[in-house]
Amino acid sequence: MKSRLVALVLLGCLVLPTIAAPAVIDPAVLAEEEALRRSERKVVLEANLARARQLQKEKNFADAVKLYEEAVGHAKLLGTDVVEKQYRDALAGIAHCRLQIAVALQEKYDFKGASAEADKVFPYDPTNRQAKEFKRFNDRVE
């Protein structure tokens, strides 16, 4: 009986996977990978901004604003001080596109929708003067 138990324990040790020791991570490799990720993120940021500008020129404000918002997210991950110009361009694009959508809704007498669209500017740019002026005007017209 004991020999069977010993045999089962030994068999279990052979069948169970061995636990590997944690691999030593080279800091240089980590730094290189991080630099590559940041570089890739910057390329995506630039591509999003270029595509958003093109959509804005085509007056496709709904799709353009999505790309501008994505660009803001990339800029925040990179550090807004690193890509300050792109960050400011994306904020300006969001405000412009959101307000153009708001104007279109206002022209359809959808004042609540226009107000809601203008409100979407404030999480990105809480002090946006144009959005505040639009909201004041929209509230009077409503």
Side-chain angles (χ1 to χ4, degrees):
M1 188 67 153
K2 281 188 176 186
S3 63
R4 281 188 181 172
L5 185 59
V6 171
L8 285 174
V9 169
L10 289 175
L11 182 62
C13 289
L14 294 175
V15 173
L16 290 176
T18 58
I19 299 173
V24 177
I25 299 172
D26 184 14
V29 171
L30 285 177
E32 194 174 303
E33 288 174 355
E34 178 62 22
L36 184 61
R37 275 192 296 276
R38 292 178 65 77
S39 176
E40 180 183 12
R41 188 172 297 282
K42 193 167 183 181
V43 167
V44 171
L45 168 66
E46 294 289 347
N48 281 358
L49 284 174
R51 181 69 180 133
R53 287 184 195 110
Q54 183 60 38
L55 289 169
Q56 187 176 338
K57 284 180 186 174
E58 297 168 4
K59 301 197 184 309
N60 185 348
F61 300 115
D63 289 337
V65 80
K66 290 176 190 172
L67 289 172
Y68 280 128
E69 288 171 350
E70 235 179 81
V72 166
H74 288 299
K76 284 183 177 180
L77 289 172
L78 286 167
T80 54
D81 54 328
V82 175
V83 286
E84 185 177 341
K85 182 188 179 318
Q86 294 91 332
Y87 181 68
R88 282 187 280 116
D89 289 349
L91 290 179
I94 289 171
H96 178 78
C97 292
R98 289 285 181 202
L99 292 176
Q100 290 302 312
I101 294 168
V103 166
L105 289 169
Q106 192 180 60
E107 289 172 353
K108 295 177 183 176
Y109 301 102
D110 182 1
F111 300 110
K112 287 185 176 157
S115 181
E117 199 62 42
D119 282 338
K120 292 178 183 177
V121 172
F122 297 123
Y124 295 98
D125 188 2
T127 62
N128 189 286
R129 183 180 51 81
Q130 295 153 326
K132 286 180 180 180
E133 288 174 8
F134 178 85
K135 289 272 297 171
R136 265 194 303 274
F137 175 75
N138 190 61
D139 290 343
R140 282 194 312 249
V141 173
E142 187 178 7

